Amino acid sequence: MKQSQNLTELSNEELQKSFKQARMFLKIFFSIFILLLITCLYITVSKGFGVFTILPLTFIPLVIANIFSYGKIKEEMKNRNLLS
């Protein structure tokens, strides 16, 4: 997700749209990450240590960045009382 503006500068509608996109992206990314992790573990068990063993580790910074981005948007929505 691209944050071209500061979250405080977004209108309520734009912030809600960003929140929905961030939530959807986070769910999809987690699903793909879990699938990658399971696949890499299977390959490691069946064929031994290799490149696929450490592949999930390279995506951990992206997971953390997405969680923090989602958290910032959610916090801004709470500050504006847009979350129920």
Side-chain angles (χ1 to χ4, degrees):
M1 183 177 68
K2 186 173 152 183
Q3 290 182 346
S4 59
Q5 294 179 328
N6 193 1
L7 292 175
T8 57
E9 297 173 356
L10 294 175
S11 68
N12 289 345
E13 293 80 22
E14 291 173 331
L15 187 62
Q16 288 174 337
K17 183 180 176 185
S18 294
F19 178 72
K20 288 179 183 178
Q21 287 176 344
R23 183 176 54 197
M24 180 187 64
F25 184 72
L26 191 60
K27 287 179 182 179
I28 291 171
F29 192 79
F30 269 149
S31 300
I32 291 171
F33 183 73
I34 296 298
L35 182 63
L36 174 70
L37 186 64
I38 291 169
T39 304
C40 290
L41 286 173
Y42 174 75
I43 291 171
T44 300
V45 169
S46 64
K47 295 190 179 187
F49 187 82
V51 174
F52 292 109
T53 304
I54 60 171
L55 187 63
L57 297 176
T58 61
F59 289 100
I60 290 176
L62 290 174
V63 171
I64 293 170
N66 285 326
I67 291 171
F68 281 129
S69 176
Y70 177 74
K72 287 179 185 178
I73 294 171
K74 189 174 182 179
E75 186 65 33
E76 182 63 28
M77 287 193 61
K78 283 182 183 178
N79 289 341
R80 294 186 191 186
N81 296 322
L82 297 175
L83 287 177
S84 53

